[in-house]
Amino acid sequence: TQLLEQSPQFLSIQEGENLTVYCNSSSVFSSLQWYRQEPGEGPVLLVTVVTGGEVKKLKRLTFQFGDARKDSSLHITAAQPGDTGLYLCAGAWGRLSFGAGTTVTVRA
Amino acid sequence: GAGVSQSPSNKVTEKGKDVELRCDPISGHTALYWYRQSLGQGLEFLIYFQGNSAPDKSGLPSDRFSAERTGGSVSTLTIQRTQQEDSAVYLCASSYLSGPECYEQYFGPGTRLTVT
């Protein structure tokens, strides 16, 4: 049973479109991290959110932590082929627990 | 390079054989983590080390799995009597600060294990 549920599981969009990936749980986390993983490589940390309601921006990526610290979203504006990858959320709850990930494909 | 390295990158073994997977963390990182990633699944926590000791080994799936870390650096994950369900990518990560949560973890490229 996944502590963190990510949706959708797969997402394929055209270059220039926007997308949102969701990470939900019934548990409260002290912090939540988002990673991106490319084939044959390990995950790379994108951001850590700590405060309920917090919004962080990383260029075209916007991350939001829910007010109750149980959920988070990742929004990409004007997606580019370089954004293709597996996006993983991970919640800190005693130990870091990872969701199953969302596979994002951006077509040129 | 200065990143986390893992070896071998790929390992194919026959059911019942033992395998050893190696992780070289970033120099100076005191915490080291092992995860397993199966197709369509997220990362499954296995064990973490603080220095040479393992405060939390509760994620190891069975007593066929063991890990050690020597000199506060290199770690080896050993799987005895491998089974087909052990097939997965085994990822190692290290971090400068201790504890299993919250801190930025730097991942290696992983070892893809296939048990035939």
Side-chain angles (χ1 to χ4, degrees), chain B residues 56-92:
Chain B
D56 186 356
K57 52 179 78 170
S58 61
L60 295 176
S62 76
D63 58 7
R64 296 186 295 104
F65 288 72
S66 63
E68 65 175 12
R69 189 180 185 193
T70 56
S73 180
V74 172
S75 177
T76 302
L77 177 68
T78 302
I79 309 173
Q80 296 178 309
R81 305 180 303 281
T82 52
Q83 303 294 313
Q84 288 186 329
E85 60 263 29
D86 299 335
S87 296
V89 175
Y90 289 82
L91 290 159
C92 173

Side-chain angles (χ1 to χ4, degrees), chain A residues 81-92:
Chain A
D83 296 325
T84 293
L86 175 67
Y87 288 82
L88 295 158
C89 66

Side-chain angles (χ1 to χ4, degrees), chain A residues 2 9 30-31 33 35 37 40-45 48 86 88 92-101, chain B residues 35 37 40-45 56-59 89 91 100-110 112:
Chain A
Q2 293 282 354
Q9 187 176 359
S30 58
S31 67
Q33 300 179 354
Y35 290 79
Q37 184 178 21
E41 299 181 7
V44 175
L45 181 68
T48 301
L86 175 67
L88 295 158
W93 187 65
R95 66 166 71 125
L96 206 58
S97 297
F98 283 82
Chain B
Y35 295 90
Q37 186 174 32
Q41 301 292 320
L43 273 66
E44 175 189 4
F45 169 84
D56 186 356
K57 52 179 78 170
S58 61
V89 175
L91 290 159
E101 62 177 331
C102 197
Y103 306 115
E104 180 170 350
Q105 296 187 12
Y106 295 82
F107 282 84
R112 180 174 297 278

Side-chain angles (χ1 to χ4, degrees), chain B residues 17-48:
Chain B
K17 295 286 181 67
D18 298 351
V19 295
E20 281 190 357
L21 312 180
R22 176 190 169 104
C23 172
D24 268 292
I26 292 172
S27 178
H29 279 194
T30 59
L32 185 147
Y33 312 81
W34 283 99
Y35 295 90
R36 180 168 69 176
Q37 186 174 32
S38 302
L39 192 64
Q41 301 292 320
L43 273 66
E44 175 189 4
F45 169 84
L46 297 178
I47 187 172
Y48 104 94

Side-chain angles (χ1 to χ4, degrees), chain A residues 21-33:
Chain A
V21 174
Y22 300 92
C23 175
N24 295 288
S25 176
S26 57
S27 302
V28 176
F29 295 103
S30 58
S31 67
L32 192 139
Q33 300 179 354

